[in-house]
Amino acid sequence: MRGQIGSFYKLFYTLDIFTSYWIDYGVEKAWGSRLVARQWQIPIGVQLLPAGLLGLGMFTLKESVRWLTAEGRHEEAWRSLQWIRADSSAATETEMEEIRAGAEQESREREGFSFKELYAPWSHLKRVITAVAIFTAQQATGATAIAYFGPQYFKLLIGNDQTRSLLLTGIFGAVKVAACGTFVFFVAENINRKQILIWGAAFMAVCQITTAAVVTDVPRPASGDITSGGIATVALIYLFVIAYNFSWGPLPWPFVSEIFPTRIREPGIAIGVSSQWLFNFVFSVATPYMITNLGW
């Protein structure tokens, strides 16, 4: 179930982005240009609620059963598992024994680990490079840039209509959730990982190249105008994000966790995910300048 459960990270990520888009749209519809400050104060303020619930909720959680077991704190681990399962039956005891056996095996395999092992032998270094490349490529698809700067992108396509660009961004978010949810529940464990990444990248490339071609050929519409070129480019972006959420969106998370042996899995995944957030930052900083200066 690793592919499916690992992809849940991306599903909830897209669900939260979807929620934020519609909050932005609702604020724009409610106050528009009358109270401009509200348009950023309310969306940012709303974020304090889930953040506060998360922070306070952490005080009610038990420590990880597997971590306690690895640390030799077996009584605490057993109480934690009972709390998670709300049960102390024979099935829970069997699960506890499986966790202990797994933790002991992992401890033996990681004994004497050194970070030098990440780049020697070559097989380990190749895995680390693959993890970094997969997450860097995920950001290089442009999906994160579109997610962060959706309204600015749609303004380039439909004209300077703030309400309509936020509406299109909200629909964009709904498409993301539907596509990612379909992938997680029905596709994640049924299709070859490598083939999904290859065909997803190819389909996204076709959508983006076609979008660029249409935008260069069709003049930017005036505010409020709807043109066939604008409809076509919006549709292409929606198709692009469907392909992304069937491939490069959710899949790198379980994929990277599966390519490392137990001995180097934790630091290997950490390096891969660090590259994901590094290039997330790079493209987030660069995108506004690209929108302003590149045009099509």
PDB file of all heavy atoms in Angstrom, residues 132-142 248:
ATOM      1  N   VAL A 132      17.190  13.128  -5.998  1.00  0.00           N
ATOM      2  CA  VAL A 132      17.309  14.570  -6.230  1.00  0.00           C
ATOM      3  C   VAL A 132      16.736  14.936  -7.593  1.00  0.00           C
ATOM      4  O   VAL A 132      15.983  15.913  -7.731  1.00  0.00           O
ATOM      5  CB  VAL A 132      18.787  15.008  -6.128  1.00  0.00           C
ATOM      6  CG1 VAL A 132      18.959  16.453  -6.591  1.00  0.00           C
ATOM      7  CG2 VAL A 132      19.287  14.848  -4.693  1.00  0.00           C
ATOM      8  N   ALA A 133      17.062  14.139  -8.616  1.00  0.00           N
ATOM      9  CA  ALA A 133      16.594  14.431  -9.969  1.00  0.00           C
ATOM     10  C   ALA A 133      15.076  14.335 -10.073  1.00  0.00           C
ATOM     11  O   ALA A 133      14.430  15.172 -10.725  1.00  0.00           O
ATOM     12  CB  ALA A 133      17.248  13.473 -10.961  1.00  0.00           C
ATOM     13  N   ILE A 134      14.486  13.329  -9.429  1.00  0.00           N
ATOM     14  CA  ILE A 134      13.032  13.147  -9.490  1.00  0.00           C
ATOM     15  C   ILE A 134      12.317  14.356  -8.885  1.00  0.00           C
ATOM     16  O   ILE A 134      11.374  14.916  -9.469  1.00  0.00           O
ATOM     17  CB  ILE A 134      12.625  11.860  -8.752  1.00  0.00           C
ATOM     18  CG1 ILE A 134      13.012  10.631  -9.577  1.00  0.00           C
ATOM     19  CG2 ILE A 134      11.133  11.849  -8.448  1.00  0.00           C
ATOM     20  CD1 ILE A 134      12.170  10.413 -10.801  1.00  0.00           C
ATOM     21  N   PHE A 135      12.749  14.799  -7.714  1.00  0.00           N
ATOM     22  CA  PHE A 135      12.070  15.925  -7.063  1.00  0.00           C
ATOM     23  C   PHE A 135      12.370  17.248  -7.757  1.00  0.00           C
ATOM     24  O   PHE A 135      11.511  18.137  -7.799  1.00  0.00           O
ATOM     25  CB  PHE A 135      12.451  15.993  -5.586  1.00  0.00           C
ATOM     26  CG  PHE A 135      11.612  15.107  -4.712  1.00  0.00           C
ATOM     27  CD1 PHE A 135      12.194  14.124  -3.929  1.00  0.00           C
ATOM     28  CD2 PHE A 135      10.238  15.240  -4.689  1.00  0.00           C
ATOM     29  CE1 PHE A 135      11.415  13.302  -3.119  1.00  0.00           C
ATOM     30  CE2 PHE A 135       9.446  14.424  -3.881  1.00  0.00           C
ATOM     31  CZ  PHE A 135      10.035  13.447  -3.098  1.00  0.00           C
ATOM     32  N   THR A 136      13.578  17.398  -8.302  1.00  0.00           N
ATOM     33  CA  THR A 136      13.885  18.607  -9.068  1.00  0.00           C
ATOM     34  C   THR A 136      13.018  18.662 -10.324  1.00  0.00           C
ATOM     35  O   THR A 136      12.462  19.707 -10.672  1.00  0.00           O
ATOM     36  CB  THR A 136      15.376  18.631  -9.453  1.00  0.00           C
ATOM     37  OG1 THR A 136      16.171  18.572  -8.264  1.00  0.00           O
ATOM     38  CG2 THR A 136      15.715  19.909 -10.218  1.00  0.00           C
ATOM     39  N   ALA A 137      12.893  17.515 -11.003  1.00  0.00           N
ATOM     40  CA  ALA A 137      12.057  17.451 -12.200  1.00  0.00           C
ATOM     41  C   ALA A 137      10.590  17.728 -11.862  1.00  0.00           C
ATOM     42  O   ALA A 137       9.867  18.363 -12.647  1.00  0.00           O
ATOM     43  CB  ALA A 137      12.201  16.086 -12.853  1.00  0.00           C
ATOM     44  N   GLN A 138      10.154  17.260 -10.696  1.00  0.00           N
ATOM     45  CA  GLN A 138       8.772  17.536 -10.285  1.00  0.00           C
ATOM     46  C   GLN A 138       8.509  19.041 -10.245  1.00  0.00           C
ATOM     47  O   GLN A 138       7.486  19.529 -10.732  1.00  0.00           O
ATOM     48  CB  GLN A 138       8.509  16.925  -8.904  1.00  0.00           C
ATOM     49  CG  GLN A 138       7.076  17.126  -8.421  1.00  0.00           C
ATOM     50  CD  GLN A 138       6.931  16.892  -6.925  1.00  0.00           C
ATOM     51  OE1 GLN A 138       7.681  17.463  -6.122  1.00  0.00           O
ATOM     52  NE2 GLN A 138       5.983  16.046  -6.550  1.00  0.00           N
ATOM     53  N   GLN A 139       9.447  19.800  -9.674  1.00  0.00           N
ATOM     54  CA  GLN A 139       9.279  21.249  -9.611  1.00  0.00           C
ATOM     55  C   GLN A 139       9.447  21.895 -10.985  1.00  0.00           C
ATOM     56  O   GLN A 139       8.791  22.892 -11.302  1.00  0.00           O
ATOM     57  CB  GLN A 139      10.293  21.839  -8.628  1.00  0.00           C
ATOM     58  CG  GLN A 139      10.086  21.410  -7.191  1.00  0.00           C
ATOM     59  CD  GLN A 139       8.702  21.751  -6.692  1.00  0.00           C
ATOM     60  OE1 GLN A 139       8.268  22.907  -6.731  1.00  0.00           O
ATOM     61  NE2 GLN A 139       7.967  20.747  -6.236  1.00  0.00           N
ATOM     62  N   ALA A 140      10.320  21.310 -11.823  1.00  0.00           N
ATOM     63  CA  ALA A 140      10.585  21.880 -13.147  1.00  0.00           C
ATOM     64  C   ALA A 140       9.417  21.706 -14.115  1.00  0.00           C
ATOM     65  O   ALA A 140       9.411  22.321 -15.180  1.00  0.00           O
ATOM     66  CB  ALA A 140      11.841  21.250 -13.742  1.00  0.00           C
ATOM     67  N   THR A 141       8.424  20.874 -13.763  1.00  0.00           N
ATOM     68  CA  THR A 141       7.238  20.769 -14.619  1.00  0.00           C
ATOM     69  C   THR A 141       6.490  22.099 -14.701  1.00  0.00           C
ATOM     70  O   THR A 141       5.748  22.335 -15.654  1.00  0.00           O
ATOM     71  CB  THR A 141       6.264  19.710 -14.089  1.00  0.00           C
ATOM     72  OG1 THR A 141       5.817  20.097 -12.780  1.00  0.00           O
ATOM     73  CG2 THR A 141       6.914  18.333 -14.035  1.00  0.00           C
ATOM     74  N   GLY A 142       6.658  22.957 -13.695  1.00  0.00           N
ATOM     75  CA  GLY A 142       5.943  24.232 -13.669  1.00  0.00           C
ATOM     76  C   GLY A 142       4.638  24.179 -12.908  1.00  0.00           C
ATOM     77  O   GLY A 142       3.973  25.202 -12.738  1.00  0.00           O
ATOM     78  N   TRP A 248       3.507  13.161 -11.949  1.00  0.00           N
ATOM     79  CA  TRP A 248       4.607  13.811 -11.246  1.00  0.00           C
ATOM     80  C   TRP A 248       4.192  14.509  -9.963  1.00  0.00           C
ATOM     81  O   TRP A 248       5.050  14.880  -9.153  1.00  0.00           O
ATOM     82  CB  TRP A 248       5.311  14.796 -12.176  1.00  0.00           C
ATOM     83  CG  TRP A 248       6.153  14.088 -13.182  1.00  0.00           C
ATOM     84  CD1 TRP A 248       5.761  13.621 -14.405  1.00  0.00           C
ATOM     85  CD2 TRP A 248       7.524  13.725 -13.032  1.00  0.00           C
ATOM     86  NE1 TRP A 248       6.815  12.989 -15.029  1.00  0.00           N
ATOM     87  CE2 TRP A 248       7.907  13.049 -14.208  1.00  0.00           C
ATOM     88  CE3 TRP A 248       8.463  13.915 -12.021  1.00  0.00           C
ATOM     89  CZ2 TRP A 248       9.188  12.549 -14.399  1.00  0.00           C
ATOM     90  CZ3 TRP A 248       9.744  13.423 -12.208  1.00  0.00           C
ATOM     91  CH2 TRP A 248      10.096  12.753 -13.390  1.00  0.00           C
TER      92      TRP A 248
END
